[in-house]
Amino acid sequence: MEFKQSSATISYHQSMLADSLRVRRYREAIQRTVREGDVVLDIGSGSGILSFFCCQAGASRVYAVEGGTAIEIARLLARANGFEERVVLLNEASWRVELPEPVDVVVTETLWNFGIGEGLLRWTCDARERLLKEGGTIIPAELALMVAPVELPQARSLIDTWAPEAYGLDLSAMRSPAANNVYRLSIPADALLAGAETLARPRTLEVAEPDVSGQASFVTTRDGVVHGLGGWFDAELAPGVRLSNGPRIETTSWSQAFFPLEQPLELAAGTKLRARIRTTGADQVWSWGVSVGDESSDSALSQSTFFGFPFSPERLGRQAPDWSPRLSRMGEIQRFVLESCDGSTPAEELESELTRRFPDTFADRDDAATFLADLLEAVAE
Ligand SMILES: C[S@@+](CC[C@H](N)C(=O)[O-])C[C@H]1O[C@@H](n2cnc3c(N)ncnc32)[C@H](O)[C@@H]1O
């Protein structure tokens, strides 16, 4: 594993463990939920911290599912804490795992700045359908998705940098894609032009599908310019245990989400406005909009991450169902490696074959070794 990757993995998990509010609230929720002898599924177990809390709460077995290399941190810590018999580590994406028994509790901390956005509802819907016992529990139980109109002049640079005149060039063709993205930003409490409202309140045991759609109404409390919508979550992890990343809350794991408005709105105090946000494609595409007054319609969803990148027609064509793909040069090289993984050819032989057969692609043996290591990590055992 490359050192930049290992330090990034370690510091990512370190930063989450250092966020004591986050960790304490999850521990409390686990203590209130997990009973002696329970079987638990921890989706995105990372360093293993939540799995270990489940063991301390009395779980007889915890399936700790982690798609990334952080599973090795969990393995080390499970052994060091005497949990290796009870924590079953599965280095796999949750939607691919099959378990030998149904679980009593699913726990996951895959929260993004707006609660949804890192797949939490996708993972919990899937686990609830396939892996959770009838009458089982999910942590978090509910995500209140909070929104407010915000005045954030400093965020305009996200769009205004793409100016008609910059460095002797016209960069404005990128304005619209830039405006059709959702950003992670720190939104101070005094940026709010109206009190925050709940856009939607999905409950993990009940939602039929992972997409969310909702609207909220506001009356501005002061004169100002709406530069966008601020968003965050207020999660009920378990009854009586909440975790939020709202503007006044001290958590180091999340800032807030910012949905910019392509055209800022200058409003006087006392103006009514409505915000709408909708996700589609299992949380892949986000659309939003703000309308002034009481009325709201689908046309209010005027911005969307669907328009958030300037894809070329060739690239878009690759998404079409009638596209007939053929192997690229890189595909040919990968096919050669895949076909050579027969369980008896040593990796060093594959390295030299790669440099011999594809000298135009691999400058030297080190180059081939790096390529091979990455590919084998994903496909070989
Ligand atoms: C925010 S971290 C939380 C880690 C740990 N549970 C904690 O609370 O400190 C989320 C982790 O989940 C993993 N992850 C996200 N979605 C996953 C999924 N569907 N299946 C397996 N791992 C997933 C990521 O690789 C990452 O390590």
Side-chain angles (χ1 to χ4, degrees):
M1 189 186 193
E2 202 212 326
F3 80 89
K4 284 187 213 125
Q5 206 187 333
S6 61
S7 70
T9 303
I10 292 175
S11 59
Y12 176 56
H13 290 281
Q14 176 276 330
S15 71
M16 283 184 291
L17 293 178
D19 182 353
S20 66
L21 178 77
R22 184 193 81 98
V23 177
R24 281 188 284 109
R25 294 286 162 84
Y26 260 91
R27 183 171 61 179
E28 209 180 323
I30 287 167
Q31 285 167 343
R32 289 194 189 190
T33 307
V34 175
R35 304 268 163 261
E36 199 66 38
D38 274 356
V39 178
V40 181
L41 166 64
D42 177 5
I43 299 178
S45 53
S47 65
I49 185 81
L50 304 184
S51 297
F52 307 150
F53 290 156
C54 292
C55 288
Q56 288 176 328
S60 59
R61 194 160 19 266
V62 184
Y63 294 98
V65 177
E66 169 55 52
T69 52
I71 194 100
E72 301 306 336
I73 304 176
R75 198 183 311 284
L76 186 70
L77 296 179
R79 202 176 310 132
N81 286 277
F83 294 134
E84 70 267 55
E85 298 291 313
R86 280 194 283 163
V87 176
V88 180
L89 294 158
L90 300 170
N91 196 189
E92 193 52 281
S94 62
W95 66 89
R96 290 208 182 94
V97 294
E98 302 286 344
L99 300 180
E101 58 191 330
V103 302
D104 301 283
V105 179
V106 171
V107 62
T108 186
E109 197 284 74
T110 42
L111 288 157
W112 191 65
N113 284 26
F114 193 42
I116 57 170
E118 243 172 57
L120 188 144
L121 292 179
R122 231 183 315 157
W123 320 145
T124 51
C125 280
D126 167 64
R128 187 189 67 205
E129 299 307 313
R130 297 189 305 115
L131 307 168
L132 185 66
K133 266 184 201 165
E134 190 73 35
T137 315
I138 301 179
I139 302 172
E142 178 187 274
L143 299 180
L145 307 183
M146 309 301 297
V147 282
V150 294
E151 182 168 47
L152 212 58
Q154 61 273 37
R156 277 313 288 175
S157 67
L158 291 168
I159 297 165
D160 287 346
T161 301
W162 307 103
E165 281 177 39
Y167 309 112
L169 295 166
D170 177 0
L171 307 181
S172 62
M174 268 302 296
R175 276 180 88 77
S176 183
N180 283 286
N181 276 282
V182 184
Y183 294 91
R184 294 158 52 144
L185 276 190
S186 196
I187 297 176
D190 63 7
L192 272 58
L193 283 168
E197 297 290 341
T198 309
L199 181 102
R201 202 180 271 282
R203 290 192 68 79
T204 49
L205 274 179
E206 289 157 24
V207 285
E209 42 115 27
D211 278 315
V212 168
S213 174
Q215 54 182 306
S217 306
F218 309 91
V219 179
T220 54
T221 51
R222 61 177 171 85
D223 297 351
V225 178
V226 183
H227 291 113
L229 296 170
W232 57 90
F233 63 82
D234 180 4
E236 184 192 62
L237 298 181
V241 187
R242 303 198 76 88
L243 177 64
S244 173
N245 63 330
R248 288 189 178 79
I249 291 161
E250 288 293 313
T251 159
T252 48
S253 298
W254 304 276
S255 51
Q256 287 79 41
F258 178 65
F259 300 77
L261 292 191
E262 201 155 359
Q263 302 298 338
L265 293 167
E266 191 165 350
L267 301 179
T271 307
K272 288 182 180 173
L273 70 159
R274 271 173 183 263
R276 293 200 59 182
I277 298 179
R278 184 176 70 191
T279 72
T280 42
D283 188 0
Q284 299 299 294
V285 177
W286 295 33
S287 306
W288 66 96
V290 168
S291 49
V292 176
D294 286 323
E295 293 302 310
S296 173
S297 65
D298 255 8
S299 63
L301 293 167
S302 55
Q303 288 177 241
S304 172
T305 55
F306 187 75
F307 306 113
F309 203 78
F311 289 110
S312 62
E314 295 75 46
R315 203 171 274 275
L316 277 179
R318 292 165 175 225
Q319 312 290 324
D322 61 353
W323 179 51
S324 309
R326 67 185 147 76
L327 278 189
S328 64
R329 173 80 171 149
M330 200 38 91
E332 299 281 359
I333 297 173
Q334 294 197 358
R335 176 163 66 185
F336 164 73
V337 173
L338 299 183
E339 285 175 355
S340 306
C341 288
D342 52 9
S344 61
T345 310
E348 61 177 355
E349 200 175 311
L350 287 177
E351 268 170 44
S352 40
E353 269 305 288
L354 278 176
T355 26
R356 195 180 65 76
R357 285 176 185 242
F358 308 105
D360 50 331
T361 303
F362 300 108
D364 52 33
R365 195 155 167 156
D366 279 354
D367 197 12
T370 310
F371 166 83
L372 190 63
D374 286 349
L375 180 55
L376 294 183
E377 169 74 28
V379 301
E381 57 180 23

